[in-house]
Amino acid sequence: MNPFKFGKQYEPDCFIDREEEYSQLVRAVSSGNNVILVAPRRFGKTWLIQKFALESGFQCIYLDLLSMLSLKDFAVKIISKSFQLLKSNNPVEFVKEHLKNLVKYINFSIGSDGVVFTFSRDVEEEVLLSECYRLLERLGEIFKTLVVCLDEFQAYSLVSEKLAGSLRSFFQTAPRVVFVFSGSMRHMIEELFFQSKGLMYHSGIKLDLCSFLPKDAVIDHVCEKFRSSGKTMPRQLAERFYAITKGHPYYVQMLAYEVWNLCGETVAEQDLQNALNQLIFRERHSYDMVLDMLGQKHLRKVLVMIATNRDIFSLETLQEFEIPNPSIVNKTIKKLVELGFVEKLSRGNYEIIDPIFEEYVLKRFS
């Protein structure tokens, strides 16, 4: 069986390193501080949060805001997970004790998946939020500390425009409820939490998950996974594997998965190349759509400049790529950073985060 896993659900056997970041998260929560976890897409923030929820010893509620379309969805998830945390088996008593002001609005049914809560149409947003917060505060008192993990928090407005402001008001008066906010749209999270005009300004400690996984940890993990599943990844090829993925958490697992499926007992150079080509072929349509959507005249040139490690603002590079002036590069870079395709490493130094996208750029446009 293929030992490599990727996706939304945390897999302990496939979690690599992040020991320092995990320790920082535990320390911050233990001291009662909210945490704002920032990371590029597919960079392992969800797995890190889920690892914390499962292994830290804290009672946690985990919610993915991208999966919710309304405040009712948000409230139902909080209520359902609170019901599970309390290990209650009597929904009537649970509602009477913890949701007194929602009694006339809330319904439930019992099916194969357990108790399912729903709300009537006429419940008001203010009542829902107030009761959810009261429930969370009660759980904080019962468990001494309750940790609420809100993943992809940049999507809060899909739930309710009022959510960010009301959360800030709530946690300022609820010391036993700690929040972990995470997001993959860096510019939106930065504006929300770290700029003075942001609704959540000064709301917690920043934890930046921006570094790729360390080389030795990735190589050891991949070689061991192949070995334990009856195959061999030569260390020399594992070095090449790391150079392709850069240690990007998602693509380490995904490329290793594809290589494992293609190879025989021992991985060959061609297996690695075939797996990479297969990934590029699979992702190319979504990459093409993104580039067409952006539609900026010099976008492809700027991407090649970054992928080939050029000095993107130098006169020589601008002339080589026939770009009239640095402001065009600056505008294009700003858009790529906002969308999460590119990260700023230092002044004038940028990097394409998705290694498969970078390979696509080099193959397509160089």
Side-chain angles (χ1 to χ4, degrees):
M1 181 182 295
N2 195 316
F4 297 99
K5 305 287 189 298
F6 51 91
K8 275 284 188 181
Q9 196 59 43
Y10 166 59
E11 294 284 347
D13 290 343
C14 292
F15 192 85
I16 305 173
D17 196 63
R18 298 297 189 211
E19 295 174 6
E20 178 55 33
E21 292 91 339
Y22 181 74
S23 296
Q24 289 180 38
L25 178 56
V26 172
R27 287 196 298 269
V29 171
S30 298
S31 61
N33 288 295
N34 296 332
V35 178
I36 298 94
L37 177 61
V38 188
R41 289 178 63 250
R42 295 175 168 177
F43 224 64
K45 63 180 174 50
T46 297
W47 276 26
L48 184 66
I49 295 171
Q50 290 179 352
K51 174 182 173 68
F52 175 86
L54 291 170
E55 300 174 11
S56 68
F58 287 101
Q59 296 292 333
C60 297
I61 289 177
Y62 170 82
L63 301 175
D64 179 359
L65 268 61
L66 274 179
S67 68
M68 300 174 194
L69 298 177
S70 69
L71 187 63
K72 285 184 179 180
D73 287 346
F74 179 77
V76 162
K77 290 284 174 42
I78 285 180
I79 290 168
S80 298
K81 297 201 175 212
S82 299
F83 183 76
Q84 294 165 11
L85 278 182
L86 290 168
K87 296 183 168 54
S88 177
N89 55 14
N90 189 329
V92 174
E93 290 300 318
F94 169 77
V95 171
K96 285 182 178 178
E97 182 177 355
H98 299 291
L99 301 166
K100 294 177 183 177
N101 295 326
L102 291 178
V103 170
K104 64 180 179 180
Y105 305 110
I106 195 167
N107 301 297
F108 65 86
S109 59
I110 301 175
S112 57
D113 294 329
V115 177
V116 178
F117 295 93
T118 55
F119 288 105
S120 59
R121 292 182 179 179
D122 51 347
V123 62
E124 296 180 356
E125 279 198 352
E126 289 78 5
V127 176
L128 268 181
L129 281 172
S130 176
E131 286 301 284
C132 282
Y133 295 154
R134 199 167 69 84
L135 175 59
L136 294 177
E137 192 167 14
R138 177 65 180 139
L139 264 61
E141 293 169 356
I142 292 171
F143 297 124
K144 307 304 181 187
T145 299
L146 174 72
V147 183
V148 181
C149 303
L150 300 180
D151 203 0
E152 301 296 357
F153 190 73
Q154 73 273 354
Y156 78 87
S157 59
L158 297 177
V159 175
S160 169
E161 292 286 352
K162 302 173 183 177
L163 185 59
S166 68
L167 276 169
R168 182 180 175 86
S169 298
F170 168 65
F171 62 63
Q172 287 177 334
T173 59
R176 294 191 180 277
V177 183
V178 177
F179 285 85
V180 176
F181 302 98
S182 79
S184 54
M185 299 298 288
R186 181 178 294 277
H187 74 289
M188 294 177 69
I189 297 297
E190 294 279 353
E191 286 179 6
L192 193 58
F193 288 95
F194 306 112
Q195 294 183 14
S196 57
K197 64 181 180 180
L199 288 171
M200 307 286 279
Y201 183 56
H202 279 176
S203 292
I205 296 173
K206 183 179 182 181
L207 178 55
D208 203 328
L209 199 70
C210 62
S211 62
F212 291 101
L213 296 173
K215 182 176 180 179
D216 288 343
V218 169
I219 289 175
D220 289 346
H221 173 85
V222 170
C223 288
E224 173 55 26
K225 283 290 182 184
F226 271 91
R227 188 201 63 76
S228 64
S229 61
K231 297 190 178 189
T232 300
M233 165 77 87
R235 198 164 184 88
Q236 183 178 354
L237 277 185
E239 299 259 356
R240 166 73 177 134
F241 173 93
Y242 183 83
I244 293 170
T245 63
K246 301 182 185 178
H248 188 296
Y250 180 80
Y251 288 109
V252 163
Q253 297 295 330
M254 180 178 260
L255 184 59
Y257 176 87
E258 297 295 346
V259 172
W260 194 95
N261 284 339
L262 290 172
C263 74
E265 290 186 3
T266 301
V267 180
E269 174 70 36
Q270 193 59 49
D271 297 322
L272 185 54
Q273 190 59 52
N274 289 343
L276 175 60
N277 291 338
Q278 193 165 295
L279 281 187
I280 295 172
F281 181 80
R282 185 185 303 160
E283 299 286 333
R284 80 190 192 287
H285 293 300
S286 59
Y287 294 150
D288 284 342
M289 287 176 62
V290 168
L291 294 179
D292 288 343
M293 177 188 70
L294 289 173
Q296 296 187 37
K297 183 178 179 181
H298 298 286
L299 175 66
R300 289 159 176 77
K301 294 179 181 179
V302 173
L303 284 169
V304 172
M305 288 159 62
I306 298 171
T308 52
N309 299 312
R310 304 297 183 91
D311 182 352
I312 61 176
F313 293 110
S314 74
L315 181 60
E316 182 182 353
T317 304
L318 294 175
Q319 289 176 343
E320 179 185 348
F321 284 87
E322 299 179 340
I323 298 177
N325 58 69
S327 65
I328 292 174
V329 176
N330 198 48
K331 181 181 177 181
T332 305
I333 285 286
K334 184 178 179 182
K335 193 67 178 177
L336 289 168
V337 169
E338 285 181 356
L339 293 174
F341 286 98
V342 168
E343 282 274 307
K344 184 176 182 178
L345 301 178
S346 59
R347 184 177 178 83
N349 186 18
Y350 295 85
E351 183 172 31
I352 296 174
I353 294 300
D354 180 336
I356 305 304
F357 182 51
E358 183 173 86
E359 292 285 341
Y360 158 88
V361 167
L362 291 171
K363 286 180 180 291
R364 182 81 186 273
F365 305 122
S366 290

